[in-house]
Amino acid sequence: MRFLRYVGLWPYQSALTKFLRSFTMFLMAESILIPEAVAFIKIARIDMVNILECIPTMIIALACGIKLINMVYNNEKMKMLLAKVIADWSLMTVKREKKILRSYGERARQFTIGYAYWMFLTSIMFVSLPFLRILNQDPETADSSDYSIIPFEVDYFVDTNEYYYPILIHCYLCTAAHVFIIIAVDTMFITFVQHTCGMFTILSYRVEHMADFEGVDERSDCDSAKNKAHRRIADCIFRHKELLGFVDLIESTYSTYFFIQLGLNMIIMSITGVQTMMNANIPHEFMRHLSFTIGQLVHLFFECWQAQQIIDHSVLLSESIGKAEWYRTSIKSKKLIAIMMMKSLVACKLTAGKMIVLCFESFTMVVSKSVSYFTVLRTLQ
């Protein structure tokens, strides 16, 4: 929530606050593209190999801009998702169900904290490790340009030595904007996914106990108990339908961006892999590019992993129906159970552009494609 407020994506902020913060964040994130593009053109005229230094950071800036625009465009959908999360929490009255939802809320908190720390660590390593070169310089032989180190390949049409600190501050501000956007958007996605998993677990718990007739007098007519079970089953079907709609809303909010991101991830990981190998003999540069590559892998893995959890939790419902004492229910209830069983056999999925299902298989596919492109680039080099 805090990062969403910083970048102007929190749906409950005023329209003016959202506009000012998101616009400012967008300018900070994308302003680095101009000096990077200038440096790219100048380097390309001299050495085509060294342009690899420019491409990954340009793609990161572009991806962050797309991520921010996507969430601004889908801000109303995010508001609907948050409203549904709040409503689900307010409807939890059973102690066991509250405990389940709290456990998934805690998981979401731990995942988001770990993810945020990792993104900060990766970015700090990437922008600060070049300064280790200063420690390796001989003060007697080094000139002033050796101490004017910029973490990116940029060209501001000015003397770098003279305007070193303004350029450095701008690079750092842009990096901070990138990290804030990534953390804000991705941690909210993690929160929505974990809430979905929690609701699937609660629904599975309700289905397993749908035929429990507690509170019914043994001497009373069994029909009243079966009617109670029927109401429970009908409520489970209604909750399942709502949950499917919630997953569809997550899908429509993030699907387009995920499709773009998969393509950009393949390009970045291929290039940074080449950079890592090119700098194998320079320890600080090797660690810098290696941390950047691992950061991209973690970024991709986290999103595919979260999508995989929705698949896994959605199919648990059919297993819970099999474990339930459905045979104790009425014929009318059995018909409802059959309907729920048919719907639960089809796993819920999040996709990238409605073409690629996000899961461990898609993560493996992207990594394998990146390795293939890495091999090609190494051969061309």
Side-chain angles (χ1 to χ4, degrees):
M1 182 191 301
R2 186 177 302 172
F3 285 100
L4 287 172
R5 291 181 184 276
Y6 291 156
V7 300
L9 292 177
W10 183 244
Y12 299 102
Q13 289 175 307
S14 66
L16 179 61
T17 302
K18 284 194 290 187
F19 172 76
L20 290 176
R21 292 191 179 185
S22 60
F23 185 68
T24 301
M25 193 62 63
F26 181 81
L27 287 181
M28 286 175 60
E30 303 308 297
S31 59
I32 196 70
L33 278 174
I34 297 174
E36 283 183 334
V38 174
F40 176 85
I41 294 170
K42 288 188 175 181
I43 293 173
R45 292 173 180 174
I46 303 169
D47 187 356
M48 289 298 293
V49 174
N50 286 332
I51 64 172
L52 294 178
E53 289 288 336
C54 306
I55 297 175
T57 52
M58 291 176 66
I59 292 177
I60 289 293
L62 183 63
C64 288
I66 295 171
K67 189 185 286 271
L68 184 60
I69 291 171
N70 177 70
M71 297 314 297
V72 170
Y73 179 76
N74 291 298
N75 201 251
E76 282 301 315
K77 292 180 181 179
M78 186 187 290
K79 191 172 184 178
M80 292 168 63
L81 289 168
L82 285 168
K84 185 67 175 76
V85 171
I86 295 169
D88 287 341
W89 273 97
S90 64
L91 291 173
M92 291 298 112
T93 56
V94 180
K95 186 176 180 180
R96 169 67 177 168
E97 294 177 357
K98 284 183 178 180
K99 185 178 179 181
I100 292 172
L101 203 54
R102 283 197 195 100
S103 68
Y104 279 91
E106 179 61 22
R107 283 181 63 181
R109 189 184 73 86
Q110 292 175 357
F111 286 156
T112 54
I113 291 174
Y115 185 81
Y117 273 121
W118 175 255
M119 286 298 140
F120 274 122
L121 177 63
T122 303
S123 61
I124 290 171
M125 289 181 68
F126 186 75
V127 299
S128 63
L129 281 175
F131 293 95
L132 293 177
R133 195 174 78 191
I134 295 177
L135 302 178
N136 297 326
Q137 295 290 340
D138 186 349
E140 296 181 358
T141 60
D143 55 37
S144 60
S145 62
D146 292 326
Y147 295 94
S148 301
I149 300 174
I150 304 296
F152 312 131
E153 290 290 344
V154 290
D155 192 319
Y156 288 81
F157 298 107
V158 295
D159 183 4
T160 303
N161 293 329
E162 184 178 352
Y163 294 93
Y164 174 65
Y165 287 107
I167 292 173
L168 189 64
I169 290 171
H170 179 247
C171 289
Y172 282 162
L173 287 175
C174 293
T175 302
H178 298 158
V179 175
F180 271 58
I181 292 170
I182 291 170
I183 292 175
V185 176
D186 290 351
T187 54
M188 203 66 231
F189 172 70
I190 292 170
T191 301
F192 290 144
V193 168
Q194 290 305 311
H195 178 78
T196 303
C197 293
M199 291 305 296
F200 269 120
T201 303
I202 290 172
L203 188 59
S204 298
Y205 171 78
R206 289 180 179 179
V207 167
E208 282 190 40
H209 296 83
M210 62 184 171
D212 291 353
F213 301 148
E214 69 276 2
V216 179
D217 195 301
E218 292 181 357
R219 295 168 297 175
S220 65
D221 192 346
C222 189
D223 288 343
S224 63
K226 290 187 175 181
N227 287 335
K228 186 177 182 181
H230 180 78
R231 288 194 298 271
R232 286 181 177 178
I233 297 166
D235 182 69
C236 286
I237 290 176
F238 177 74
R239 299 298 173 194
H240 186 224
K241 184 180 178 180
E242 280 193 333
L243 195 50
L244 294 179
F246 187 78
V247 175
D248 288 341
L249 193 56
I250 296 175
E251 158 83 5
S252 64
T253 304
Y254 291 92
S255 178
T256 302
Y257 169 71
F258 282 150
F259 180 72
I260 298 171
Q261 179 181 295
L262 287 182
L264 296 179
N265 266 114
M266 282 191 285
I267 298 171
I268 294 176
M269 287 192 292
S270 302
I271 295 174
T272 52
V274 174
Q275 290 175 309
T276 303
M277 297 304 297
M278 288 171 59
N279 293 282
N281 297 324
I282 309 173
H284 60 273
E285 283 296 320
F286 174 79
M287 289 301 300
R288 177 179 180 238
H289 291 296
L290 181 63
S291 65
F292 189 54
T293 304
I294 295 174
Q296 290 301 311
L297 276 170
V298 171
H299 179 226
L300 178 64
F301 174 78
F302 243 92
E303 291 176 347
C304 291
W305 179 32
Q306 296 302 307
Q308 180 69 50
Q309 288 193 57
I310 287 185
I311 295 174
D312 295 340
H313 280 75
S314 65
V315 298
L316 286 176
L317 184 59
S318 60
E319 296 179 13
S320 296
I321 294 174
K323 294 177 183 177
E325 296 178 340
W326 53 267
Y327 48 84
R328 296 174 58 194
T329 61
S330 64
I331 296 175
K332 185 169 60 173
S333 297
K334 288 185 179 74
K335 291 179 180 179
L336 292 179
I337 294 169
I339 295 172
M340 187 187 295
M341 174 64 89
M342 286 188 291
K343 288 191 174 183
S344 63
L345 288 174
V346 180
C348 291
K349 299 172 184 176
L350 297 180
T351 68
K354 300 189 181 299
M355 290 186 282
I356 303 171
V357 177
L358 291 175
C359 56
F360 287 146
E361 288 184 11
S362 57
F363 171 76
T364 305
M365 179 199 71
V366 173
V367 173
S368 63
K369 290 288 185 183
S370 300
V371 172
S372 299
Y373 297 146
F374 162 78
T375 305
V376 172
L377 289 172
R378 285 288 291 171
T379 304
L380 293 174
Q381 184 191 357

